[in-house]
């Protein structure tokens, strides 16, 4: 794959040039940018990379892996990783050799980190053989399914990958769910059917950011919501319909959070520590609840301060409150806060962005305004 020239890299936004970025589900590696699939809701809008249709690399795969493992937030075996989840699809024909180069390099180092690979493209039997050859990494393929009718992309790949899985796991990533667009009874029934094939299913809504709204308006697309939000939008009525469909249709294991599903399929407690947010767990399998209960430990204020003190960003760190649900902190941006969260396997919330009861980590759009947050006593 051609490397971008220094002049081309200079034209990228600062966020796009950040090859390693900490996101909620892990430390994300994105040294390849560009995708021809043109999904209108793609997060590429937020990185100023929407117009890049042809995949191009910012550096070699070996350089990218070194950047990742030397990153100040990287913890061997513990930090969850994501590969090519922000600016391209990892299984595009021009991209997947780079994906496997990264995976095999990390695996040869003996690392056992979780690695999340999100795709809506075709995964073939040869790909599955290469994935099964990885002896150390805990790899999860998350197959994005949003109701697209082209069966070459989503459904057949999930079925094949789940059938051939040995060392890795295959998760149905049911997203983005948008009321009136892909939540018909037929859509729900098809997802329930697919869930029986996958090792687990995660459902979630749409990141409707300002940049995506601008694109919708410019192209005359019908806007899914009347306002934007920094968090994913999953209205309460939509969640109820999803849960009812899985309950009556005898669907497979269903989760609200990506890390919950990924941990479950590998037989481990949730590395994001969602167990303290008890209302998230009412749909989890009993064996997963047991795993998470055993692992659940509330860190002390002193422990939180000690880890934060090791970070260059920790100078203004403050602990506002610690409860069984979460630690609420101030003075840390998202990336160092995620480092803290994965260091303890416990929820770390920013006091500026309260987590409301039953809509944890979701936008308020479509939910009654109860005013309850992680700083308050939850109520219905």
């Amino acid at each position: 794959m051609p490397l971008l020239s220094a002049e081309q890299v200079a034209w990228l936004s600062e966020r796009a040039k950040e090859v390693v970025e900490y996101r909620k589900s892990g430390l994300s590696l994105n040294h390849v940018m560009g995708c021809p699939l043109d999904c209108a809701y793609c997060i590429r809008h937020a990185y100023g990379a929407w117009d890049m249709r042809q995949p191009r690399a910012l550096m070699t795969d070996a350089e990218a892996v070194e950047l990742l493992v030397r990153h100040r937030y990287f913890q061997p075996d513990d930090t969850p990783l994501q590969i090519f989840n922000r600016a391209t699809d990892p299984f595009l024909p021009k991209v997947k050799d780079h994906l496997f180069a990264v995976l095999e390099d990390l695996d040869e180092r003996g690392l056992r980190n979780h690695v999340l690979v999100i795709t809506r493209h075709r995964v073939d039997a040869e790909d599955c053989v290469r994935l099964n050859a990885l002896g150390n990494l805990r790899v999860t393929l998350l197959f994005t399914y949003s109701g697209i009718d082209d069966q070459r992309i989503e459904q057949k790949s999930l079925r094949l990958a789940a059938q051939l899985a040995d060392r890795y796991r295959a998760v149905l990533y049911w997203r983005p769910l948008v009321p009136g667009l892909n939540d018909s009874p037929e859509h729900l029934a098809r997802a329930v059917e697919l869930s029986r094939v996958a090792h687990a299913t995660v459902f979630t809504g749409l990141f409707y950011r300002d940049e995506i709204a601008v694109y919708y308006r410019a192209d005359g697309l019908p806007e899914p919501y009347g306002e934007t939000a920094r968090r994913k939008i999953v209205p309460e009525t939509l969640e109820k319909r999803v849960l009812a469909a899985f309950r009556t249709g005898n669907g497979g294991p269903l989760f609200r959070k990506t890390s919950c599903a990924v941990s479950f399929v590998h037989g481990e407690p949730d590395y994001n520590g969602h167990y303290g947010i008890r209302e998230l767990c009412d749909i989890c399998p009993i064996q997963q609840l047991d795993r998470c209960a055993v692992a659940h430990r509330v860190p002390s204020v002193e422990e939180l301060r000690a880890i934060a003190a090791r970070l260059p960003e920790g100078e203004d760190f403050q602990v506002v409150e610690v409860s069984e649900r979460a630690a609420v902190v101030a003075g840390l941006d998202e990336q160092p806060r995620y480092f803290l969260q994965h260091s303890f396997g416990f929820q770390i919330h920013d006091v500026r962005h309260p987590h409301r009861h039953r809509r944890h980590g979701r936008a308020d759009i479509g939910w009654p305004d109860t005013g309850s947050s992680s700083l308050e006593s939850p109520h219905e």
Side-chain angles (χ1 to χ4, degrees):
M1 179 182 298
L3 291 176
L4 291 171
S5 67
E7 292 78 11
Q8 290 171 320
V9 172
W11 280 99
L12 297 175
S13 70
E14 290 304 312
R15 288 197 71 192
K17 286 187 283 190
E18 192 174 4
V19 169
V20 181
E21 178 191 37
Y22 221 143
R23 307 186 74 189
K24 185 177 180 181
S25 287
L27 204 55
S28 179
L29 181 66
N30 293 280
H31 63 287
V32 173
M33 303 182 65
C35 182
L37 297 181
D38 286 350
C39 304
Y41 51 79
C42 183
I43 196 65
R44 281 188 296 145
H45 289 289
Y47 290 86
W50 173 250
D51 291 331
M52 295 181 66
R53 266 49 177 205
Q54 296 300 318
R56 293 291 184 268
L58 279 74
M59 61 184 65
T60 68
D61 300 321
E63 290 171 331
V65 172
E66 281 299 316
L67 198 64
L68 176 66
V69 299
R70 294 177 184 273
H71 196 278
R72 66 183 182 278
Y73 295 142
F74 179 79
Q75 300 180 76
D77 303 335
D78 292 333
T79 304
L81 308 175
Q82 298 173 310
I83 312 295
F84 301 148
N85 69 316
R86 191 187 72 188
T88 191
D89 189 295
F91 280 95
L92 288 170
K94 293 182 179 179
V95 178
K96 68 178 178 180
D97 282 345
H98 299 272
L99 167 70
F100 281 110
V102 169
L103 291 174
E104 289 161 3
D105 189 337
L106 293 170
D107 194 68
E108 288 169 4
R109 295 167 187 254
L111 296 169
R112 297 195 65 257
N113 300 66
H114 279 289
V115 181
L116 285 65
V117 182
I118 303 168
T119 183
R120 63 161 60 255
H121 210 269
R122 184 172 180 267
V123 176
D124 59 32
E126 182 180 345
D127 298 329
C128 297
V129 170
R130 294 184 72 176
L131 289 166
N132 281 325
L134 300 171
N136 298 298
L137 296 174
R138 291 167 286 176
V139 176
T140 305
L141 296 186
L142 295 107
F143 288 88
T144 297
Y145 170 72
S146 57
I148 291 177
D149 291 329
D150 189 339
Q151 303 213 353
R152 294 171 302 172
I153 296 178
E154 292 174 338
Q155 299 184 46
K156 289 183 179 179
S157 286
L158 171 61
R159 295 178 190 277
L160 177 70
Q163 179 183 356
L164 297 181
D166 180 18
R167 290 282 311 161
Y168 66 91
R169 295 293 180 265
V171 168
L172 172 61
Y173 215 17
W174 191 14
R175 65 167 198 172
L177 273 164
V178 182
L181 183 63
N182 60 352
D183 66 332
S184 69
E186 292 75 19
H187 282 108
L188 299 187
R190 194 183 309 165
V192 170
E193 178 189 356
L194 284 172
S195 76
R196 302 191 197 107
V197 175
H199 297 123
T201 297
V202 182
F203 73 97
T204 189
L206 175 69
F207 262 136
Y208 196 52
R209 299 285 179 81
D210 292 341
E211 299 89 344
I212 299 175
V214 168
Y215 174 80
Y216 270 62
R217 293 163 193 159
D219 277 43
L221 298 174
E223 292 190 65
Y225 299 101
E227 56 185 311
T228 58
R230 67 179 296 274
R231 290 170 170 161
K232 292 178 182 177
I233 305 172
V234 185
E236 182 181 26
T237 53
L238 176 59
E239 173 171 297
K240 288 181 176 180
R241 293 184 60 227
V242 167
L243 299 185
F246 265 69
R247 185 170 56 251
T248 59
N250 194 29
L254 180 66
F255 298 88
R256 294 181 173 96
K257 296 297 179 180
T258 302
S259 63
C260 296
V262 169
S263 301
F264 166 74
V265 298
H266 288 277
E268 300 171 3
D270 173 32
Y271 58 77
N272 263 325
H274 285 109
Y275 182 79
I277 317 296
R278 302 299 298 129
E279 65 270 20
L280 288 177
C281 306
D282 60 356
I283 60 174
C284 295
I286 294 297
Q287 65 267 41
Q288 187 63 13
L289 285 172
D290 291 342
R291 292 184 192 118
C292 292
V294 170
H296 185 65
R297 188 183 75 82
V298 180
S300 68
V301 172
E302 292 72 25
E303 288 174 315
L304 290 165
R305 287 174 176 161
I307 296 294
R310 291 161 37 190
L311 299 173
E313 305 94 336
E315 183 177 340
D316 298 322
F317 176 76
Q318 297 177 39
V319 179
V320 178
E321 177 188 77
V322 180
S323 69
E324 284 288 327
R325 290 174 66 84
V328 181
V329 303
L332 283 185
D333 289 332
E334 281 188 339
Q335 296 199 48
R337 187 162 47 82
Y338 294 152
F339 172 80
L340 236 64
Q341 184 159 293
H342 294 140
S343 296
F344 290 104
F346 188 77
Q347 284 284 289
I348 311 292
H349 296 171
D350 189 329
V351 70
R352 298 171 297 178
H353 306 293
H355 285 250
R356 307 295 183 184
H357 185 62
R358 292 185 58 234
R359 71 191 89 155
H360 172 86
R362 295 171 175 172
D364 292 342
I365 297 170
W367 289 83
D369 185 15
T370 62
S372 177
S373 74
S374 55
L375 286 170
E376 303 163 349
S377 299
H379 55 85
E380 295 292 332

